Amino acid sequence: MSNEGKNTGLTPTEEAWDEEADDIRPKMGWKELWLKEDWWAIWVGLGIVIVATLFFLNGGTIKWIAIKPARWSTLGQAFSHFGAHLPQYAAMFVLWLVVFVAAMKAMGRNLAEYIPSFIFVFVFSIIIFYIGAWEHAHAYNLEPPLVALVLGMLISNIIGLPKWMDTGFRVEFYIKIGIVLLGATLPFTLIVWAGPVAIVQASIVSIVTFSVIYFTAKKLGLDRRLGATLGAGGAVCGVSGAIAIAGAVGAKKEHAPIAITMVILWAIVMIFFLPLVSRAMGLHAGIAGAWVGTSEFADAAGFAAAQAYGKVAEALPGIPGSEEDAVRAFTLMKVIGRDIWIGIWAFVLALISTMKWERKEGQKPDPAEIWWRFPKFVIGFLLASLIITWIASGYSLADYDKIVKPELVGPVKTLRTWAFIFCFFSIGLTTRFRELAAAGTRPFTAFTTGVVVNVLLGFVLSALVFASYWTHLTVGQ
Amino acid sequence: MPAIRARMKNMCVDCAHFCNDPEKMENEIPGLQVMGSGWASVRNIDGLCRKRDVYLAGYYTCEHFKPLKGARAA
């Protein structure tokens, strides 16, 4: 389906490729407030946080609608719990559907495709969440992120689904909403305390990784625009980094797909590899989270790895830390340390591209690009953190644990978990290996060299140099 | 992007060879939807040029610029 006839603020497909199209294109600018996913993640995520806060300030709570499976040991218990709470599941489904449909309609998506596709995602997400609530789930590594991912990949690669269903598998949209909601569970004081450390650690790793990939690619004779696109994919923020830099440097059409293939393949490997190695070494959940934040390639994949390891840490007595430790460290490292710098990377590389690589008169990127490429959902993440920190500041620690946590933060966290499961399942459903672009040996070699350096350096910085920060995230608040 | 627009004319974003429709981008760029998005802010107004087979920022210009029919009429 196309967006033909809809005002998306971007070039309408059919008209763009019909050179005789009778149209002057609508401009984007501030229309991105309702035409880009980042802003919709803010409206949805922050909207939930604000509504939850208003309920709380008036003596209420949204926990009735933020339902989740209870721990169970027999199938009878699981079915019984689900049956007893069916109206709550139905209400939560309607809540998600309404806000998602509003966002999709504004962005010009086909609702006749989106609605059935989201119903499919939601039904499987319930099953995945219940599997994760089984009392022996940890013993069999049946963590919801990993189950969602594997189940999704099995369905998409073995059974197959109609292409139109992709409309509902919005990986980035769901993860961005989850990150905004995560802001509500992360004290702003913690961001201020550990954020600079995350920026230092992530900057070291990003610059080294980018340089390794870029110069290896150059040495192997690859186009420098491909080298830069691969480098940004490995060093900054995965697919988002690769596509942003591809545009900034004017890469060949095939460059971005090659970098994306590399990112996806290595990101999926790392979802399993990093938690496995962390578990074998008995790493603190905070350290593992920081390592994942440094060495994973995409937000969604990183959250899957960090959350899975955090749950393992909570279930196994030999591993210190909690799920929150892992997720918090990961978020600080990935979102604050790496994601927010994409605009600057793009601007600098665009400058190099236009002034050095392909010198052309009058062609120079504007510094405003840094803002337009900024991953705006981070604003929602910070605002959510500020709101809840402000509320919590009026309570003692004991009252926070007794009142604020169960009535306000807990329900938001539950909705966050649902958004993450939608995301993880969507990753699996959209990862169709046969559809990925063939990368070739030289791009693979360049990227993989960067991966090795990245993983080793990320481990040294997380587990040795800055370990005290990542093991004391709750102390530093 | 008023700053850029005031400075440059004949940008790719106004060219008939250029396309940046997010849905089309997700279909044309394999894997973009898996861990990225056509609708992400980081993509800004970037798109594909059919004439030169490159993916580039909408503020670029080149000698192959061809205005849209509506723009030519204006």
Side-chain angles (χ1 to χ4, degrees), chain A residues 1 11 13 16 19 248 363, chain B residues 16 20-21 23 50 60-61 66:
Chain A
M1 302 297 289
T11 309
T13 307
E19 297 181 2
Q363 194 139 297
Chain B
N20 62 5
D21 173 71
E23 192 162 343
R50 183 174 61 172
Y60 278 116
T61 60
K66 180 180 179 185

Side-chain angles (χ1 to χ4, degrees), chain A residues 214 217-218 221-228 252 255 357 442:
Chain A
Y214 177 77
K218 210 173 156 201
L222 294 172
D223 187 313
R224 48 197 166 189
R225 290 168 296 177
L226 174 57
K252 285 184 185 169
H255 289 169
W357 295 348
R442 289 182 297 162

Side-chain angles (χ1 to χ4, degrees), chain A residues 1 11 13 16-17 19-21 23 25 27 36-38 166 169-170 247-248 251 253 363-364 369 373, chain B residues 7 13-17 19-21 23 26 33 37 42 44 46 50 53 55 57 60-61 66 69:
Chain A
M1 302 297 289
T11 309
T13 307
W17 301 88
E19 297 181 2
E20 295 307 310
D23 185 42
R25 289 173 190 147
K27 310 308 178 200
K36 291 277 191 178
E37 272 179 3
D38 288 61
D166 280 3
F169 308 152
R170 301 306 312 168
K253 187 183 175 185
Q363 194 139 297
K364 199 170 132 187
E369 281 293 291
R373 288 190 193 278
Chain B
R7 207 178 58 211
V13 73
D14 296 319
C15 175
H17 300 306
C19 174
N20 62 5
D21 173 71
E23 192 162 343
E26 287 194 355
Q33 190 191 345
S37 170
V42 295
N44 194 13
D46 302 349
R50 183 174 61 172
D53 259 350
Y55 179 83
Y60 278 116
T61 60
K66 180 180 179 185
K69 190 180 173 187

Side-chain angles (χ1 to χ4, degrees), chain A residues 186-202 286 290 325 328-334 336-337 466-477:
Chain A
L186 199 67
F188 197 74
T189 45
L190 182 64
I191 298 174
V192 173
W193 178 72
V197 181
I199 290 170
V200 170
Q201 177 171 329
D325 287 327
R328 284 178 174 190
F330 169 79
T331 308
L332 287 164
M333 188 61 66
K334 186 72 174 69
I336 304 296
F466 297 114
S468 61
Y469 281 93
W470 308 124
T471 50
H472 293 90
L473 285 179
T474 50
V475 178
Q477 291 173 33

Side-chain angles (χ1 to χ4, degrees), chain A residues 122-301:
Chain A
F122 187 80
V123 168
F124 270 91
S125 295
I126 293 175
I127 296 167
I128 290 162
F129 212 158
Y130 266 94
I131 291 172
W134 179 38
E135 66 173 354
H136 300 299
H138 305 300
Y140 295 95
N141 279 329
L142 294 174
E143 313 301 339
L146 304 184
V147 173
L149 189 75
V150 172
L151 185 62
M153 283 199 287
L154 288 175
I155 291 172
S156 62
N157 287 281
I158 296 175
I159 301 168
L161 291 170
K163 186 75 179 162
W164 62 262
M165 287 188 76
D166 280 3
T167 306
F169 308 152
R170 301 306 312 168
V171 174
E172 279 275 289
F173 183 48
Y174 301 142
I175 198 70
K176 285 170 182 170
I177 290 171
I179 292 173
V180 174
L181 293 174
L182 192 145
T185 63
L186 199 67
F188 197 74
T189 45
L190 182 64
I191 298 174
V192 173
W193 178 72
V197 181
I199 290 170
V200 170
Q201 177 171 329
S203 298
I204 294 169
V205 176
S206 293
I207 292 167
V208 171
T209 305
F210 179 88
S211 304
V212 168
I213 295 175
Y214 177 77
F215 287 110
T216 307
K218 210 173 156 201
K219 185 116 182 137
L220 291 170
L222 294 172
D223 187 313
R224 48 197 166 189
R225 290 168 296 177
L226 174 57
T229 305
L230 284 167
V236 191
C237 49
V239 171
S240 298
I243 199 72
I245 299 308
V249 302
K252 285 184 185 169
K253 187 183 175 185
E254 63 271 23
H255 289 169
I258 289 171
I260 288 170
T261 297
M262 289 291 90
V263 168
I264 291 171
L265 293 180
W266 275 113
I268 288 173
V269 169
M270 290 299 160
I271 288 176
F272 298 95
F273 176 78
L274 293 174
L276 271 175
V277 176
S278 299
R279 185 173 176 168
M281 291 193 287
L283 289 185
H284 187 286
I287 290 177
W291 189 19
V292 173
T294 314
S295 300
E296 245 302 356
F297 303 101
D299 286 3

